[in-house]
Amino acid sequence: KNEVEQSPQNLTAQEGEFITINCSYSVGISALHWLQQHPGGGIVSLFMLSSGKKKHGRLIATINIQEKHSSLHITASHPRDSAVYICAVSPNDMRFGAGTRLTVKP
Amino acid sequence: SAVISQKPSRDICQRGTSLTIQCQVDSQVTMMFWYRQQPGQSLTLIATANQGSEATYESGFVIDKFPISRPNLTFSTLTVSNMSPEDSSIYLCSVGLAEKLFFGSGTQLSVL
């Protein structure tokens, strides 16, 4: 079993829909990161969480340390949100989820 | 914020040769990380490079195959040695700064 599990693996949505991507982990962590990787490979850091909730624009990330679970939400999704979203946790080193491929159709 | 310049962006190499990938950061950072991303998969940490000490390699990666240099706080290189087609992958460097991770643009390596 992977230490970091993401669901779903693939997600297709219509423009404007509310999106949720989930991440569960089995190791003790000091922080959890949400990353966005666009076609062509560039990776952008969206959030770092150690507790609670963070919001940036249409993106919201939450973490429940007791349940070892985090969610990334996208409100009013747009085709430019189409990307692979990766959850990563850091105990001492970084462990990555397999990613969720999001496609938002106009 | 940090900007990472990674070179080359892509290369096609012959089996048995070596390729050195460079990452230059516009800020001084203690640790730099090197990752591999095989086609259709997520990132795998190869090693952590600290300035002034030997790199720390993850299980499955060895110094003879992936030697790393870290001569100062803004620069690092990763060499992929004695390449085989199985080394075809994207290689990325990364740093952590102010609670964020920053990544180089990646090196797409194809080994024939």
Side-chain angles (χ1 to χ4, degrees):
Chain A
K1 189 182 191 306
N2 291 335
E3 293 171 316
V4 183
E5 296 275 357
Q6 280 186 243
S7 63
Q9 282 188 301
N10 295 283
L11 180 57
T12 301
Q14 287 299 128
E15 184 172 357
E17 285 185 2
F18 181 83
I19 304 292
T20 296
I21 299 170
N22 296 299
C23 176
S24 296
Y25 53 92
S26 58
V27 294
I29 68 169
S30 56
L32 181 144
H33 299 262
W34 281 103
L35 310 171
Q36 181 191 55
Q37 185 171 29
H38 278 284
I43 299 176
V44 174
S45 177
L46 299 175
F47 295 104
M48 189 202 83
L49 295 162
S50 53
S51 64
K53 175 180 172 178
K54 286 188 177 179
K55 184 176 189 291
H56 186 260
R58 294 181 294 107
L59 301 177
I60 303 166
T62 63
I63 188 168
N64 185 318
I65 297 293
Q66 287 73 30
E67 294 186 4
K68 295 188 174 180
H69 181 269
S70 176
S71 294
L72 176 69
H73 306 286
I74 305 174
T75 61
S77 60
H78 190 277
R80 65 175 174 266
D81 297 325
S82 298
V84 175
Y85 292 83
I86 302 169
C87 169
V89 300
S90 50
N92 298 313
D93 54 4
M94 294 295 291
R95 318 280 174 88
F96 293 85
T100 295
R101 184 174 299 277
L102 171 65
T103 303
V104 182
K105 295 186 175 181
Chain B
S1 180
V3 175
I4 303 177
S5 174
Q6 184 172 344
K7 297 178 183 178
S9 58
R10 60 179 62 239
D11 207 341
I12 300 172
C13 300
Q14 294 296 321
R15 182 195 297 261
T17 63
S18 297
L19 176 72
T20 295
I21 302 166
Q22 301 180 3
C23 276
Q24 178 76 51
V25 188
D26 68 347
S27 303
Q28 292 187 334
V29 291
T30 305
M31 291 192 289
M32 291 181 71
F33 305 94
W34 286 98
Y35 295 94
R36 181 172 73 184
Q37 186 175 31
Q38 295 182 303
Q41 298 188 23
S42 194
L43 293 87
T44 301
L45 180 64
I46 297 171
T48 302
N50 290 321
Q51 193 267 336
S53 64
E54 292 284 334
T56 303
Y57 289 82
E58 296 302 302
S59 176
F61 298 96
V62 295
I63 188 171
D64 289 346
K65 176 68 176 176
F66 297 101
I68 287 171
S69 78
R70 186 80 203 276
N72 57 52
L73 291 173
T74 64
F75 187 79
S76 181
T77 68
L78 170 77
T79 299
V80 186
S81 303
N82 188 25
M83 289 184 283
S84 67
E86 292 71 35
D87 295 319
S88 297
S89 189
I90 296 173
Y91 293 85
L92 300 109
C93 60
S94 173
V95 302
L97 201 62
E99 297 192 348
K100 284 201 163 186
L101 298 176
F102 297 89
F103 289 83
S105 54
T107 297
Q108 173 88 56
L109 172 61
S110 297
V111 184
L112 304 178

